[in-house]
Amino acid sequence: MKSIFLTIGLLLLAGCASVPANFGKPSVASNIGIVLLIDETPTFMHVGTTIFNNENLDSASETKFSKMFGDQISEILSSGGHTPKIIEPTSLLVKERESLFSYMSSNINFKDLIKSELNQLAHKHDLEYLVIVYPNSGPAWPNSSAYLAGYGLYTRCVFGSCNAYALDYVGARIFDVNNNSSLKPMEFRFFQQEEVPSIVVPDDVNQTSSEDIDKAALVAKDKIINLIEKMLRTSEFI
């Protein structure tokens, strides 16, 4: 019986160890950097009936949504009494933006190399925390070989039946500089894209308008910003 309780206790401790720690409410007027690893402009990804119909038109829109992300996150942090600052990411962070986390940690802890890079940025700009916004790469649907990442427009056609969705494969984390730890993440689930029925997918997807891409990107941005705000509220930043 004693060994059973010991086993249960060890399992509980292991479970607790896997959850990022929050070290208490940050001080008012904390200096908080915002690191945007997402593309400056929206992405358009199309998945067709076969892989030969797939398209990825990254430059289809020229609207700088990343500035909107930065401005809105700054407003949220300012409302909590903090001092936000948009920080230019290093080339290493941009290069590793889809593999920031330790493989064994299930996206809980940043890799040591990433932590080192974030700490250098923080010390350079005198920051207590960093909010990192990054693309989440994942399958378009369960067991799909088609992968999506970033924000913008995602269209899918199967034997002539087409739908348009707001592409929202984006995640966010708070990095606590003093404790060298990542806090609880933004809620994120694959396969939850919101359909945008007002967008009609053309027969030739290369004719998709930048206006439609921006329309879907706006839906995605609003959803992502709401989730980032919830993350900040959960960690008592606002």
Side-chain angles (χ1 to χ4, degrees):
M1 180 67 70
K2 182 177 180 181
S3 62
I4 293 174
F5 285 120
L6 178 60
T7 301
I8 293 173
L10 289 172
L11 288 171
L12 289 172
L13 286 173
C16 292
S18 68
V19 177
N22 279 13
F23 294 93
K25 185 175 180 179
S27 302
V28 176
S30 290
N31 294 321
I32 302 176
I34 301 166
V35 182
L36 300 171
L37 300 178
I38 54 175
D39 289 336
E40 187 176 43
T41 59
T43 291
F44 168 44
M45 292 187 169
H46 175 75
V47 177
T49 304
T50 71
I51 60 173
F52 302 106
N53 304 122
N54 296 350
E55 298 280 351
N56 183 359
L57 307 175
D58 292 313
S59 60
S61 168
E62 296 182 358
T63 306
K64 292 180 171 56
F65 270 80
S66 62
K67 184 179 187 307
M68 300 183 206
F69 275 96
D71 289 345
Q72 288 191 249
I73 296 170
S74 294
E75 289 176 11
I76 294 168
L77 290 169
S78 295
S79 73
H82 304 297
T83 305
K85 182 178 182 181
I86 306 295
I87 304 297
E88 186 74 22
T90 63
S91 57
L92 186 145
L93 288 174
V94 173
K95 179 183 176 182
E96 298 292 325
R97 65 181 186 166
E98 291 187 21
S99 57
L100 299 171
F101 301 96
S102 168
Y103 175 75
M104 297 300 294
S105 71
S106 299
N107 285 11
I108 289 173
N109 295 310
F110 287 110
K111 294 176 181 177
D112 288 342
L113 179 65
I114 301 302
K115 282 187 177 182
S116 175
E117 201 78 358
L118 293 175
N119 275 309
Q120 289 182 44
L121 274 181
H123 292 133
K124 178 180 178 180
H125 297 280
D126 192 26
L127 305 168
E128 284 87 37
Y129 300 92
L130 289 163
V131 177
I132 302 96
V133 183
Y134 52 88
N136 250 337
S137 178
W141 60 88
N143 303 316
S144 171
S145 60
Y147 267 59
L148 307 174
Y151 70 96
L153 172 64
Y154 158 54
T155 57
R156 182 182 176 190
C157 293
V158 180
F159 299 112
S161 177
C162 300
N163 298 90
Y165 303 89
L167 174 62
D168 58 1
Y169 275 29
V170 169
R173 295 298 297 269
I174 304 167
F175 182 69
D176 182 332
V177 178
N178 292 330
N179 290 290
N180 198 37
S181 174
S182 51
L183 304 187
K184 293 180 181 179
M186 180 192 98
E187 290 181 4
F188 175 80
R189 293 181 182 177
F190 293 115
F191 327 127
Q192 299 292 316
Q193 303 98 322
E194 183 176 341
E195 187 171 358
V196 188
S198 61
I199 296 177
V200 177
V201 182
D203 292 336
D204 180 359
V205 293
N206 290 286
Q207 298 301 314
T208 301
S209 70
S210 59
E211 289 79 12
D212 279 345
I213 295 169
D214 288 348
K215 185 187 297 183
L218 188 61
V219 173
K221 176 190 68 68
D222 289 346
K223 177 181 178 182
I224 295 162
I225 289 294
N226 285 338
L227 290 173
I228 291 175
E229 183 173 8
K230 184 177 180 181
M231 175 188 73
L232 293 169
R233 196 174 300 281
T234 297
S235 293
E236 298 187 274
F237 278 65
I238 55 176

